[in-house]
Amino acid sequence: MRYPALEQRLNIGIRLERPEDKGAIFDLTKRAFAPMPFADGDEQEMIDRLRDAGALSLSAVATLDGAIVGHVALSPATHESGESGWYTLGPISAEPALQRKGIGRSLIAFARDWLEAQGASGCILTGNPAYYERFGFAGAPDNAPAGAPPQYFMVLKLKDRCPAGRFCFHPVFG
Ligand SMILES: CC(C)(COP(=O)(O)OP(=O)(O)OC[C@H]1O[C@@H](n2cnc3c(N)ncnc32)[C@H](O)[C@@H]1OP(=O)(O)O)[C@@H](O)C(=O)NCCC(=O)NCCS
C-alpha cells in the first residue's frame, strides 16, 4: 500500500511483515531506540516476545528500495471495565538517517487504517505528546496503566469515547 503524503518525500511502501523480515525489524528497532534517553533498551526484544505470544496484532514495515526502513507494532490492550477493542501502538521506529521524512506518519496512518478496518475502539500508547497529538492521540493520565508515566500516556479514540478507568498493556510489556 502507498501513502500519498509519503510519496512526496520518499518512494516508500508500507506492507505487513513477512517471516524473513524478523531480523531486519529487530536490528532497525535496536538502532532507532539506542540514542533515545527514555529507551529501556529491550524494545526490539518486545516485538519478538509479542510475536511469540501471538500478540503481534499488526506488524507493518516501511520499505525503500527493498530495504526495511520503518516498523510499527500493534498489540491487544485491556481495560479494567472489560471493554474490548483496544490496542497498544508501539514500538515504532524509523531508520535514524531517514527520520522526519514521513516514515513514522505513514506507519501510523497504516496502523490507523488497520484499526478502523477491525472496528477497534481505539489505541493507547506512552510517548511524546509533541509527536503523537498531530495524529489524534490525546493525553489521558487518568487512564494510564499502573506503573506507566501518566504524563506520557495517550489515547486515540476511534468511536468518540474512552471508558473511565485504567488500561493495561499486554503482559509481555511487563
Ligand atoms: C518517532 C519516529 C518513529 C518518528 O518517525 P519519523 O519518520 O521520524 O516521523 P515523521 O517524519 O513521520 O514525522 C511526522 C511529523 O512529526 C514531526 N516529528 C518527528 N519526530 C518528532 C519528535 N520526536 N517530536 C516532535 N515532532 C516530531 C516531524 O517533523 C513531522 O512533522 P511535519 O509532518 O509537520 O513535517 C522516529 O523518530 C523514531 O524512530 N524515533 C526513535 C524511536 C522512538 O522514539 N520511537 C517512538 C517511541 S514513543
Side-chain angles (χ1 to χ4, degrees):
M1 189 175 297
R2 297 202 171 271
Y3 281 82
L6 196 59
E7 287 183 353
Q8 293 164 15
R9 308 192 204 188
L10 288 174
N11 188 23
I12 280 183
I14 310 284
R15 62 164 173 79
L16 298 179
E17 77 162 27
R18 297 174 185 149
E20 63 270 23
D21 297 332
K22 288 179 197 170
I25 292 169
F26 185 98
D27 293 345
L28 166 67
T29 304
K30 192 173 179 179
R31 273 200 306 283
F33 276 88
M36 297 296 148
F38 55 79
D40 292 326
D42 64 350
E43 287 76 9
Q44 58 282 350
E45 277 96 3
M46 285 300 170
I47 299 167
D48 286 348
R49 280 183 216 145
L50 287 169
R51 193 185 289 108
D52 292 346
L56 199 47
S57 311
L58 176 77
S59 178
V61 294
T63 62
L64 177 65
D65 296 332
I68 289 176
V69 295
H71 176 258
V72 65
L74 289 176
S75 56
T78 53
H79 187 271
E80 65 179 10
S81 68
E83 183 174 308
S84 60
W86 289 88
Y87 292 82
T88 300
L89 187 146
I92 178 169
S93 303
E95 182 65 46
L98 297 174
Q99 288 177 3
R100 302 210 169 207
K101 293 182 188 296
I103 293 172
R105 177 185 291 281
S106 295
L107 287 166
I108 292 170
F110 188 92
R112 185 179 175 138
D113 285 351
W114 184 90
L115 288 163
E116 287 178 348
Q118 309 300 309
S121 302
C123 188
I124 64 172
L125 57 77
T126 46
N128 180 358
Y131 181 62
Y132 290 104
E133 276 172 356
R134 75 193 68 219
F135 304 117
F137 286 86
D142 295 343
N143 301 110
Q151 69 274 31
Y152 293 115
F153 184 73
M154 306 191 76
V155 171
L156 172 67
K157 295 182 272 187
L158 292 176
K159 292 185 176 168
D160 279 336
R161 60 175 302 279
C162 174
R166 287 185 187 277
F167 285 95
C168 246
F169 299 124
H170 189 276
V172 307
F173 286 108

